[in-house]
Amino acid sequence: EKGGWSSFMAKEINEEPEAVLNTTLGRVHEGVVDIDELAGLDELFARIDRIVVVASGTAAYAGQVGKYAVERWARVPVEVQLSHEFRYSDPIITPETLVVSISQSGETMDTLLAVKYAAEHGAKTLSICNTQGATIPRESDAVVYTHAGPEVAVASTKAFVAQITALYLFGLHLARVRGTLDADAIAAQTEELLAVPAKIRQILETETAEVARLAHWMADSRAILFLGRHVGYPIALEGALKLKELAYIHAEGFAAGELKHGPIALIEPGQPVFVVVPSPRGSETMHSKVVSNIQEIRARGARVIAIAETGDVAVLPFADEVIRIPLAAPFFEPLLAVIPLQVFAMELSSAKGLDVDQPRNLAKSVTVE
Ligand code: BG6
């Protein structure tokens, strides 16, 4: 079943290009995004004034990445709530609220209960789900399936990139219906999205050996930190989560700008820190701020592993190691930057002799509250 791979996770990481591609199939036609499952919802999409994403774990981080793009493209405020927090926060729900749930399994009880609560309080509900006919899509007004194929390893990988893909498609569909992006702008984003699978394949081919070497070198680390900014921030959180789940190493992700407000106190000589570096082509200011963060932690002895786009030489004088990702427009960098972090956690888990597919204490889908 593992098709020659050492674990389901290794197989599923290798399937990420197809997970992204298959999620776009039939939904992008010559630069136009039209999701069949959303036909008939134009009137709703035109009048919604708020989107609340509900999800847990990795799916919630996909939601955090999607928030930036959906807000930019469709000009609707998006907030991301952990599904188990949602019902207990007396959330503000109106008929103009769209609640979007994200779940690989479609069975996570916390997320299901959040969706039911939203519906009972008058919201419309949309499910982004990887499992045909699961409970959450059945309980929702509409569903956009991710087509990552069955995911067996407990730690989510290919479902995550498929969830971001589905959210981006949803954002572009919404932008067309609401008239917030013109056709050329939508076509440009679809071109970027369709280029992602080949770029993921390239990362897997060129960076895996180097990442495995780093994992062996860091196998005895007590703590590993992750920094990112903007869409790179949820990727830092996801990189840390993968490491906790798979390698049982204390790991934390931070927004890079928050460093000086506290976390920099954690930096001592030898502390490994992964930094997701935004492209200078997206925002030069943001790029130079993250490079300054690298300098600050390096000056305090951190061992910096930068994930930076090919050709970004600004990181070279300060980073101990550089993992390269191909050039992409800013919203598409997360789909690339997360790949080496997933590989790193998997390699570190196997370097420690742990069960990559079945980490202790975790279940693939948690069907209790
Ligand atoms: C957790 C899984 O329990 O549930 C995570 O271990 C997953 O990998 C999370 O991200 C949410 O699951 P689902 O199926 O709702 O996406």
Side-chain angles (χ1 to χ4, degrees), residues 214-235:
L214 290 175
H216 278 82
W217 162 60
M218 285 190 254
D220 295 325
S221 301
R222 288 193 53 229
I224 299 182
L225 305 179
F226 296 77
L227 296 180
R229 218 179 159 111
H230 190 251
V231 281
Y233 170 39
I235 295 305

Side-chain angles (χ1 to χ4, degrees), residues 187-263:
Q189 302 300 337
T190 64
E191 208 173 302
E192 283 284 341
L193 181 58
L194 296 177
V196 165
K199 293 177 186 178
I200 295 179
R201 180 66 64 210
Q202 188 185 329
I203 296 167
L204 290 171
E205 279 164 11
T206 62
E207 304 304 298
T208 303
E210 173 71 0
V211 172
R213 185 184 65 77
L214 290 175
H216 278 82
W217 162 60
M218 285 190 254
D220 295 325
S221 301
R222 288 193 53 229
I224 299 182
L225 305 179
F226 296 77
L227 296 180
R229 218 179 159 111
H230 190 251
V231 281
Y233 170 39
I235 295 305
L237 298 174
E238 172 62 7
L241 177 62
K242 285 277 103 41
L243 203 58
K244 289 177 235 192
E245 290 178 314
L246 290 161
Y248 318 151
I249 291 180
H250 181 77
E252 241 188 300
F254 299 107
E258 192 66 6
L259 197 61
K260 59 183 176 299
H261 301 294

Side-chain angles (χ1 to χ4, degrees), residues 3-248:
W5 294 92
S6 55
S7 61
F8 280 106
M9 188 177 175
K11 173 175 179 277
E12 287 161 6
I13 288 176
N14 188 63
E15 289 168 347
E16 291 188 85
E18 289 73 33
V20 172
L21 179 70
N22 291 342
T23 300
T24 67
L25 289 183
R27 293 165 172 173
V28 183
H29 315 268
E30 291 171 3
V32 179
V33 177
D34 197 352
I35 304 178
D36 288 346
E37 295 103 310
L38 302 180
L41 296 178
D42 285 13
E43 182 273 329
L44 171 72
F45 288 164
R47 71 178 159 81
I48 51 171
D49 63 10
R50 188 161 146 264
I51 293 173
V52 183
V53 173
V54 292
S56 329
T58 291
Y61 294 143
Q64 286 193 28
V65 173
K67 166 188 160 81
Y68 293 91
V70 175
E71 286 191 337
R72 175 75 66 83
W73 296 336
R75 308 312 293 166
V76 192
V78 179
E79 77 185 76
V80 183
Q81 290 254 359
L82 293 169
S83 48
H84 37 92
E85 288 287 325
F86 178 68
R87 280 178 309 142
Y88 302 101
S89 63
D90 192 11
I92 298 164
I93 298 172
T94 73
E96 277 67 50
T97 307
L98 177 68
V99 170
V100 177
S101 66
I102 308 174
S103 175
Q104 188 286 130
S105 62
E107 300 295 344
T108 299
M109 186 57 75
D110 288 326
T111 306
L112 173 62
L113 293 175
V115 170
K116 284 187 169 170
Y117 182 99
E120 278 158 18
H121 288 76
K124 288 286 177 217
T125 60
L126 167 67
S127 155
I128 292 180
C129 182
N130 198 47
T131 311
Q132 294 280 334
T135 310
I136 295 172
R138 278 192 280 113
E139 290 285 335
S140 303
D141 295 309
V143 53
V144 174
Y145 282 108
T146 48
H147 296 295
E151 193 179 60
V152 176
V154 168
S156 183
T157 53
K158 64 175 180 172
F160 178 71
V161 292
Q163 285 159 351
I164 295 173
T165 302
L167 280 165
Y168 283 10
L169 291 169
F170 165 67
L172 293 170
H173 180 110
L174 207 55
R176 176 177 52 76
V177 172
R178 293 168 65 88
T180 48
L181 281 188
D182 63 27
D184 287 350
I186 292 175
Q189 302 300 337
T190 64
E191 208 173 302
E192 283 284 341
L193 181 58
L194 296 177
V196 165
K199 293 177 186 178
I200 295 179
R201 180 66 64 210
Q202 188 185 329
I203 296 167
L204 290 171
E205 279 164 11
T206 62
E207 304 304 298
T208 303
E210 173 71 0
V211 172
R213 185 184 65 77
L214 290 175
H216 278 82
W217 162 60
M218 285 190 254
D220 295 325
S221 301
R222 288 193 53 229
I224 299 182
L225 305 179
F226 296 77
L227 296 180
R229 218 179 159 111
H230 190 251
V231 281
Y233 170 39
I235 295 305
L237 298 174
E238 172 62 7
L241 177 62
K242 285 277 103 41
L243 203 58
K244 289 177 235 192
E245 290 178 314
L246 290 161
Y248 318 151

